[in-house]
Amino acid sequence: MEPVEALERVAFLLERTLAPPYRAGAFRTAAQVLGALPDGEVAERAAAGTLESLKGVGPKTAQVVREALTGEVPAYLERLESEGAAAPLAEGGERLRALLRGDCHLHSDWSDGGSPVEEMGRAAIALGHEWAVLTDHSPRLTVARGLSPERLREQLAVVAELNARWAPFRLLTGIECDILADGSLDQEPELLDELDLVVVSVHSKLRMDAPAMTRRMVAAVSNPLADVLGHCTGRLLTARGGGPGRGRPESQFDAEAVFAACAASGTAVEINSRPERRDPPRRLLREAVAAGTLFAVDTDAHAPGQLDWQDIGCARAEECGVPADRVVNTWSADALLDWTRNRQVPRP
């Protein structure tokens, strides 16, 4: 195992298990620093004992590098693997997971993610995805550094350049667009129309009364520019990021009306796989199945290791009877784009 590969694998496993971000970040930073060095310099510095003199390389990351250079699996990485950091994250869902081709919801450091677009894309490729959709936040979510129209256009150029190198893998353009209080979408309609896929989510006024929230959500999912309804209840089972503290209750709305609107417009209901979200709850997931909606099993990943969380969503989907042919992640990129552009659903 090459040193940079070992550092990235440690970071991936830490992210996958919701370790504090600074821990995974230390290994990601060290991998970036060492990956930029000329050939042979990492080994030379390890032999000379000067790895730690590099900004971004500390004692723990340097030890992983030195052990990898000997041809051994670094002890820290071996411990993570043996303690189950790479074990399945949920029981069940294996059949559906094997059918998935991509992920419709992931973030980069352009908004509130922790890694560059390229790192997120490379992680998706390593997991065997054929495609993934980059969905950084829209402008009103300032706490998450939401993208202005100008920044989003800049990002589209970055994605185009990466796709020129990554074929046949495709990083599709997208956004997680805030559903505003009146049900309108937080981005220029013309720009939303340019994107490959639009996730729409409620992030503000989550305690709005049920009738108003229902009208808000129905308006959003009925918008022809909306493709996926993200984390529909907004609940958090634990504090954000899985840390200590209280979670957040579900938003109140008429689920029958919202899911009926999704089914009528062809907007998919997201099965959000984040461990602290697992949204929608099982009772609502079963209601969406009965309503005849499409589904998107997504990770809402904010770091490369979190892209492996689809295990969680797949287990919940199978438990609640979600038909695999109604899961948009099982489709090819071309079929997905036929659906987002023309609402053409591939035949089983």
Side-chain angles (χ1 to χ4, degrees):
M1 180 174 287
E2 293 295 322
V4 170
E5 181 187 359
L7 292 168
E8 289 181 339
R9 178 62 178 170
V10 169
F12 182 93
L13 293 175
L14 290 172
E15 291 158 354
R16 188 176 187 268
T17 54
L18 268 181
Y22 73 87
R23 290 178 59 197
F27 287 91
R28 290 265 174 222
T29 298
Q32 291 167 2
V33 170
L34 298 184
L37 296 178
D39 290 346
E41 185 170 338
V42 174
E44 291 171 7
R45 284 185 171 274
T50 60
L51 284 171
E52 288 94 332
S53 67
L54 293 168
K55 185 177 181 181
V57 180
K60 283 189 176 180
T61 53
Q63 184 63 24
V64 167
V65 171
R66 284 190 286 266
E67 291 174 4
L69 284 168
T70 68
E72 300 294 326
V73 177
Y76 187 50
L77 175 55
E78 188 172 32
R79 179 166 65 82
L80 287 174
E81 302 273 14
S82 66
E83 289 178 352
L89 293 166
E91 292 185 9
E94 294 87 359
R95 178 178 171 276
L96 178 59
R97 181 68 182 86
L99 296 174
L100 299 192
R101 299 186 181 193
D103 191 332
C104 298
H105 188 170
L106 59 96
H107 297 272
S108 75
D109 62 2
W110 281 64
S111 64
D112 61 343
S115 293
V117 174
E118 184 162 4
E119 280 190 9
M120 297 299 291
R122 286 195 291 108
I125 293 169
L127 286 170
H129 287 331
E130 297 175 13
W131 53 264
V133 189
L134 180 62
T135 54
D136 281 317
H137 287 285
S138 62
R140 292 282 184 97
L141 202 62
T142 54
V143 68
R145 298 180 61 243
L147 273 61
S148 65
E150 294 73 25
R151 290 183 66 217
L152 180 53
R153 289 187 176 94
E154 290 176 17
Q155 188 181 79
L156 298 185
V158 170
V159 172
E161 190 276 329
L162 290 171
N163 278 327
R165 295 192 272 119
W166 280 347
F169 174 83
R170 293 166 71 176
L171 184 62
L172 303 178
T173 59
I175 191 170
E176 184 179 13
C177 193
D178 269 26
I179 299 173
L180 303 180
D182 63 355
S184 60
L185 304 183
D186 177 34
Q187 189 50 276
E188 295 176 355
E190 298 78 12
L191 186 49
L192 291 178
D193 196 38
E194 288 182 35
L195 302 176
D196 293 323
L197 184 143
V198 174
V199 176
V200 297
S201 306
V202 173
H203 289 105
S204 61
K205 299 185 178 180
L206 294 167
R207 305 307 297 274
M208 181 181 281
D209 67 79
M213 182 65 84
T214 302
R215 291 191 296 272
R216 177 184 186 183
M217 295 175 71
V218 166
V221 302
S222 300
N223 190 316
L225 296 171
D227 299 309
V228 177
L229 172 61
H231 47 72
C232 65
T233 76
R235 73 173 185 177
L236 292 174
L237 300 173
T238 62
R240 188 178 298 278
R246 298 177 61 185
R248 183 169 63 209
E250 301 171 20
S251 295
Q252 299 301 304
F253 57 90
D254 182 340
E256 182 178 359
V258 171
F259 294 151
C262 287
S265 63
T267 299
V269 173
E270 178 179 75
I271 302 174
N272 189 291
S273 303
R274 289 193 67 86
E276 76 272 29
R277 284 195 184 274
R278 301 177 193 247
D279 198 4
R282 291 178 179 86
R283 72 181 195 286
L284 294 187
L285 185 48
R286 293 186 175 100
E287 280 195 46
V289 171
T293 70
L294 296 170
F295 296 91
V297 179
D298 296 332
T299 59
D300 194 356
H302 287 63
Q306 297 174 8
L307 285 165
D308 213 15
W309 285 348
Q310 281 181 316
D311 290 357
I312 297 169
C314 287
R316 294 171 66 80
E318 285 198 351
E319 180 184 352
C320 294
V322 174
D325 61 1
R326 280 161 55 185
V327 176
V328 302
N329 313 71
T330 66
W331 303 344
S332 69
D334 287 338
L336 185 81
L337 294 176
D338 279 345
W339 165 65
T340 62
R341 292 168 181 163
N342 309 308
R343 284 302 186 257
Q344 294 294 317
V345 175
R347 293 181 179 180

